Amino acid sequence: MISPDVLDKFISVCERAAYGASKFIGKNDKIAADQAAVDEMRSALNKMDINGRVVIGEGEMDEAPMLFIGEKVGKGKGEDLDIAVDPLEGTNFTAKNLPNAISVLAVTKKGGLLSAPDTYMEKIAIGKDLPKNLVDLDNSVKKNINLLAEAKNTIPEKITACVLKRPRHNKIIKSLEELKVKIKFISDGDVTGVISVVDPNSSVDIYLGIGGGPEGVLAASALNCIGGQMQTRLVLSDNEEINRAKKLGITDLKKKYNIEDMIKGDTIFCATGVTNGEMVNGIIDKGDYFEASSFVLHKSQNLSKKVTNKIKK
Ligand code: VTB
């Protein structure tokens, strides 16, 4: 079990990152927003009494200056923890002052997180209380939707599917349209998209499509705490990506991962709002302090809460 004592510290790590990014809301500079979030998150992590290792980060070693995969964080004493970070999920949202930008992280004990390369990943996710392994990436969209509708005792027309709006999803979208499924398009931010399948305030029944691998592991961490099902598979499009995956220890390149293949054991998940969003509100600057709202999960404590804190700058 991860000590509950570190939970508040991880929340403040996320809050600091979100605050860093918030200074660039609407400034049309996504690189600066991301950098500010990374700087704040890194400096806050390094103040913690943990022996942390970044497993999912801003990049793979050579190309990313900070919070790269393999970077050690914390003071080097305390629990051995593996950490997945996305200091700013929604760089476009922040730059353009649009909803749903978050700072997000997940934590497990050492060895608990899949070291996914920064490549694309196929994803399918559904909510709680459904038959295990109900949907599958190898099924047609039609089969998955029909199975889900049947299990929910409804019809495809009443199902809502969340999809990233990308040309690569045209085939999925066409199938959904043929089935008259309600589509919720998102322009970015598939961590929130995947989590929406378990959000009681959301109408989303299923998430489908290809997004970032790191974001996939982060979303899976949340579902590992609150329930729901998710299946993923890496999309490795050339030799360079295949080598990157192999370097991270992945041998079965076509493996379909369930949540328990991506995240093992106790898990902490925290997402803090940068801009207002469906999951959490954004940062509010109050002068000498700021308010930050976070969605926090800790599996072993069965904890799921939304917290708003006032933090001195
Ligand atoms: C998703 C989404 C991210 O990238 O992973 C997406 O969660 C996938 O990449 O917020 P493309 O933009 O290349 O399609 C983001 O939209 C941006 O990192």
Side-chain angles (χ1 to χ4, degrees):
M1 174 180 169
I2 305 169
S3 159
D5 300 346
V6 296
L7 183 64
D8 284 345
K9 304 264 169 39
F10 277 116
I11 299 173
S12 58
V13 166
C14 244
E15 291 169 338
R16 297 266 23 142
Y19 171 62
S22 74
K23 295 176 190 165
F24 293 89
I25 292 173
K27 298 267 165 85
N28 206 19
D29 189 347
K30 57 183 194 171
I31 293 169
D34 196 34
Q35 189 65 53
V38 173
D39 291 348
E40 289 276 355
M41 183 172 268
R42 186 176 194 240
S43 126
L45 279 170
N46 281 330
K47 287 183 188 132
M48 288 185 70
D49 286 324
I50 53 163
N51 190 14
R53 180 177 64 159
V54 176
V55 172
I56 297 280
E58 280 288 286
E60 289 159 34
M61 224 77 87
D62 8 346
E63 92 245 11
M66 282 178 176
L67 290 174
F68 55 83
I69 298 175
E71 180 171 338
K72 301 268 183 216
V73 290
K75 289 186 188 161
K77 52 178 186 189
E79 273 183 282
D80 290 334
L81 299 175
D82 278 358
I83 307 169
V85 302
D86 194 348
L88 183 54
E89 157 71 341
T91 52
N92 282 324
F93 292 155
T94 307
K96 302 199 168 99
N97 199 353
L98 293 169
N100 286 321
I102 52 173
S103 295
V104 55
L105 60 77
V107 186
T108 64
K109 291 282 221 185
K110 192 175 177 187
L113 273 172
L114 172 72
S115 192
D118 193 3
T119 60
Y120 284 122
M121 181 185 250
E122 292 175 75
K123 309 174 189 180
I124 188 165
I126 55 174
K128 297 189 213 187
D129 304 324
L130 290 164
K132 215 171 156 23
N133 303 323
L134 180 69
V135 295
D136 195 290
L137 287 171
D138 285 327
N139 289 345
S140 64
V141 170
K142 188 172 174 196
K143 185 167 178 191
N144 280 328
I145 296 293
N146 282 329
L147 284 166
L148 181 63
E150 202 180 291
K152 290 199 154 192
N153 211 3
T154 185
I155 49 172
E157 282 95 321
K158 296 204 168 148
I159 293 285
T160 300
C162 181
V163 183
L164 258 178
K165 195 153 180 38
R166 296 290 187 276
R168 63 176 178 268
H169 294 149
N170 284 351
K171 237 180 103 187
I172 294 178
I173 293 162
K174 191 159 174 273
S175 303
L176 293 171
E177 283 170 354
E178 280 166 11
L179 291 159
K180 299 201 166 58
V181 165
K182 292 183 260 183
I183 306 178
K184 179 180 175 182
F185 282 116
I186 52 172
S187 63
D188 278 302
D190 72 350
V191 175
T192 303
V194 169
I195 295 174
S196 67
V197 300
V198 287
D199 180 351
N201 299 317
S202 154
S203 58
V204 173
D205 299 290
I206 182 165
Y207 181 89
L208 295 165
I210 296 174
E215 288 89 345
V217 176
L218 278 160
S221 314
L223 267 50
N224 185 37
C225 298
I226 20 175
Q229 299 180 41
M230 184 175 184
Q231 194 185 54
T232 68
R233 181 166 46 203
L234 292 172
V235 180
L236 304 169
S237 48
D238 55 26
N239 277 339
E240 193 259 333
E241 291 192 349
I242 290 173
N243 285 335
R244 268 158 56 199
K246 285 185 177 163
K247 243 166 97 180
L248 293 172
I250 291 167
T251 46
D252 181 356
L253 302 173
K254 296 194 171 135
K255 186 177 166 71
K256 285 187 279 183
Y257 296 94
N258 287 321
I259 293 175
E260 58 273 22
D261 302 313
M262 292 183 275
I263 329 288
K264 292 184 175 60
D266 196 13
T267 308
I268 283 175
F269 174 88
C270 181
T272 303
V274 177
T275 57
N276 283 342
E278 283 156 44
M279 195 153 58
V280 275
N281 287 330
I283 297 288
I284 306 174
D285 193 324
K286 296 275 195 183
D288 51 355
Y289 71 98
F290 62 93
E291 267 178 30
S293 298
S294 306
F295 175 50
V296 183
L297 304 165
H298 188 179
K299 189 178 164 110
S300 63
Q301 295 194 79
N302 209 4
L303 177 138
S304 166
K305 64 176 180 181
K306 293 205 174 159
V307 279
T308 300
N309 288 324
K310 292 181 171 40
I311 301 123
K312 252 187 89 120
K313 281 186 183 168

